[in-house]
Each structure stands twice: as C-alpha cells, then as structure tokens.
Amino acid sequence: MIDLSDGLSSDLGHLADQSGVGAELWADRIPISSALKRYAKKIGADPLSYALHGGEDYELLFSVPEKKQALLERLIRSGQIQAGPIGKLIERGAGLLIKNREGERQPLVPRGYDHFKKR
C-alpha cells in the first residue's frame, strides 16, 4: 500500500518496483472527478494525464493477493471499505502499462513529484 501524494504513475512505479512486479492500469477505471474534467476541458488539457501524474489527492493504492480478491470484493460490496479496481499486477519484465479506452496497451512512463530531484 502506498499513498498517491506524488502521483499515481510515480507511486505505482514505486509499489511495483518494491514488489518485484509490473503493473497494468485500466484508463477507463481511473476515477476522475467532474470538477477535474471541467477544468481540463476549460484549459484544453487531458484529465487522465492529471489523474495519472498529479498528486496530493490523499488516496491510497494497494494490491491484494489473488486468493484474497473475493474477500476484498465482499468488503467493497458491503460498504465496509471504499475502493475499486483500476488495474492489475503483471510480470516484472512488462514494466508499467496503461490499457486505453480502446483496449490497446501502451507503456506508462511514471511522472510525478520526485523527492530526490535537484530543484
């Protein structure tokens, strides 16, 4: 589990690296608020880019082993936790991918806040 304050793509990269896996995100499952959609449209930007690379949303990203998936789904359905699937873990060599709305997989280059970058 990791907080997404540095950006989804960046923090997903950290989670995947530390877990020794790759990851595939599903673009159509990434939550984007209506306010962000309106703002992005107003300035001619892609709201998905903000959702992937922006931070400070105070959300958590986590994964569960396959054998615990049914339990997680029951907890979500019962309202005991608020969560939803936005992707899956895959073999390490695949790196980070994003599956776009047309079903095509493309490499996802992590971007976001880098604590170690000289400013």
Side-chain angles (χ1 to χ4, degrees), residues 2 6-7 9-19 96 113 115:
I2 189 169
D6 295 336
S9 66
S10 177
D11 288 324
L12 174 63
H14 300 316
L15 184 134
D17 286 344
Q18 292 300 309
S19 301
L96 299 181
Y113 186 78
H115 293 272

Side-chain angles (χ1 to χ4, degrees), residues 61-114:
L61 177 68
F62 66 95
S63 64
V64 296
E66 222 174 316
K67 63 185 176 190
K68 300 280 185 174
Q69 189 171 346
L71 172 61
L72 177 61
E73 290 169 359
R74 281 196 304 277
L75 292 170
I76 292 169
R77 280 194 307 275
S78 72
Q80 293 181 54
I81 63 170
Q82 249 185 314
I86 62 168
K88 64 181 179 179
L89 299 178
I90 56 177
E91 63 191 45
R92 180 182 200 114
L96 299 181
L97 303 173
I98 186 158
K99 187 175 176 182
N100 65 23
R101 290 174 174 89
E102 291 76 38
E104 300 165 329
R105 289 174 179 85
Q106 301 168 336
L108 175 62
V109 178
R111 293 192 342 243
Y113 186 78
D114 182 350

Side-chain angles (χ1 to χ4, degrees), residues 22-35:
E24 177 184 287
L25 287 179
W26 306 321
D28 62 344
R29 291 293 201 70
I30 297 171
I32 301 175
S33 70
S34 56

